Amino acid sequence: MTAAITRPLSQTALLTELDSVVAQNLDRHLAVAKEWFPHEYVPWSDGRTFDGLLGGEAWSPEDFELPEVARTALVVNLLTEDNLPSYHHEIATLFGRDGAWGTWVHRWTAEEGRHGVAIRDYLTVTRAVDPVALERARMVHMSTGYTNVHSNEVLHSLAYVSFQELATRISHRNTGRVTGDPLCEQLLARVAADENLHMIFYRNLLNAAFELSPSQAMRAVADVAADFAMPGNGIEGFARKSVAIALAGIYDLRQHRDEVLVPVLRQWDVWNRTGLDADGEAAREQLGAQLEELDKAASRFEEKRDARAARLAAR
């Protein structure tokens, strides 16, 4: 990779300059990624036939006792994973299908594909959620698809997936804990481990981009932090579901700020970066202001959540 460049690079130039970094991190990823098999996390002997074509038993919420918020989070997590074809299209279109970039795109897609398979099989066999409602929700969500807000911008896309993969990891881990089912927690911990490795891959690429074009990278990070939304935000009823998930402490503003944005920004050493132009400095100031606003918003939410919990406890 060349020395730091002061002028903005084209998207093609960015892909070319980062190609060797992709190759290095692909080798690193393949060396540390663990092979695992979705079928090993599913209690197949617990399964029984549903109603319909084979005349089995209709689903009932009592079939598998779960906190309602756990059902909500499991469905949101699975529907998010279901949209993999759209995600693949986005990154394959941007990064290309050749060389190290293309190899990574296909490897990432293959690893992500296990997540939906494992979670759906687990939910179906254990009767944890209504399979009819789940399938209808899948059809609606996938029919809408997914489009990256910054679909034509390499650095913006790398910044987004760096944050998003870590956010998804946290959501999966915390969802597993609230289910109260050790097997589900083990499954989602395994999925989360994949997400963490994906985050490291993308985070390392953007770190290299900071060395290459610091102002361009800083602007991308500031823009993405300002308008970040989880890829599942297109799920029907997502706003209501996300509030329930936040109230349960599965994923909320405090976690987004303190456990996603802050540690990743620290890894990129954004506060100590030198060689920034005027826009790069403005982007860094924007990031600082964004973190302050998120801190205030998170505190307000926590106060309301605590007050709500106190009211419920007093009943």
Side-chain angles (χ1 to χ4, degrees):
M1 204 167 66
T2 60
I5 298 170
T6 55
R7 57 180 173 76
L9 291 170
S10 69
Q11 303 308 306
T12 300
L14 286 168
L15 290 171
T16 301
E17 290 288 345
L18 292 172
D19 187 71
S20 62
V21 182
V22 175
Q24 292 165 9
N25 279 275
L26 176 60
D27 288 342
R28 177 196 174 280
H29 178 85
L30 295 176
V32 298
K34 305 291 186 185
E35 182 181 47
W36 64 279
F37 304 98
H39 73 275
E40 294 181 349
Y41 291 83
V42 181
W44 299 101
S45 59
D46 293 351
R48 60 187 190 275
T49 305
F50 286 96
D51 60 332
L53 182 65
L54 299 180
E57 301 174 42
W59 180 81
S60 168
E62 288 73 36
D63 286 345
F64 189 80
E65 291 189 10
L66 276 178
E68 190 57 34
V69 71
R71 294 188 203 274
T72 298
L74 283 165
V75 170
V76 168
N77 288 359
L78 176 54
L79 293 180
T80 300
E81 299 287 353
D82 277 335
N83 239 355
L84 181 60
S86 282
Y87 310 147
H88 174 87
H89 176 268
E90 290 291 305
I91 66 172
T93 300
L94 179 61
F95 298 152
R97 298 171 183 271
D98 300 320
W101 283 105
T103 302
W104 167 254
V105 166
H106 293 298
R107 173 72 188 202
W108 175 87
T109 302
E111 292 183 0
E112 287 285 341
R114 290 185 298 214
H115 302 167
V117 170
I119 297 171
R120 172 168 281 97
D121 284 349
Y122 167 84
L123 295 180
T124 302
V125 168
T126 62
R127 290 177 169 246
V129 302
D130 181 352
V132 173
L134 180 62
E135 174 60 11
R136 287 172 176 165
R138 186 191 70 84
M139 287 295 294
V140 170
H141 186 48
M142 290 192 68
S143 295
T144 302
Y146 172 80
T147 302
N148 181 1
V149 176
H150 304 286
S151 59
N152 297 318
E153 298 165 299
V154 173
L155 299 189
H156 284 74
S157 296
L158 290 177
Y160 176 79
V161 289
S162 296
F163 294 138
Q164 176 266 317
E165 294 281 7
L166 182 52
T168 305
R169 167 198 151 193
I170 292 169
S171 179
H172 280 308
R173 285 300 302 266
N174 290 341
T175 296
R177 293 187 181 110
V178 301
T179 64
D181 177 29
L183 179 58
C184 186
E185 184 170 358
Q186 189 176 6
L187 165 60
L188 294 182
R190 179 59 263 178
V191 170
D194 279 357
E195 307 289 11
N196 194 59
L197 288 180
H198 299 163
M199 177 274 294
I200 292 171
F201 181 92
Y202 292 122
R203 188 189 69 192
N204 288 352
L205 262 60
L206 194 54
N207 191 60
F210 265 108
E211 300 294 331
L212 175 67
S213 186
S215 295
Q216 213 170 346
M218 192 71 74
R219 170 49 59 196
V221 171
D223 288 348
V224 168
D227 62 16
F228 182 87
M230 292 291 275
N233 71 334
I235 293 170
E236 195 170 39
F238 181 77
R240 173 178 51 81
K241 291 178 172 66
S242 63
V243 169
I245 288 168
L247 287 171
I250 295 171
Y251 194 82
D252 58 27
L253 280 176
R254 177 62 63 197
Q255 288 158 321
H256 180 65
R257 181 193 183 277
D258 294 358
E259 298 178 33
V260 175
L261 296 182
V262 169
V264 174
L265 294 175
R266 185 185 304 118
Q267 284 289 326
W268 289 330
D269 199 25
V270 298
W271 312 117
N272 298 310
R273 288 286 173 180
T274 58
L276 299 175
D277 61 19
D279 185 61
E281 291 287 2
R284 178 155 58 188
E285 290 179 9
Q286 179 183 326
L287 267 174
Q290 174 75 1
L291 290 180
E292 288 183 13
E293 286 302 313
L294 279 173
D295 186 45
K296 294 175 184 176
S299 295
R300 289 194 297 269
F301 177 80
E302 288 165 338
E303 289 171 3
K304 291 179 180 178
R305 182 169 60 190
D306 292 344
R308 178 179 181 271
R311 288 194 303 272
L312 292 173
R315 289 180 183 177

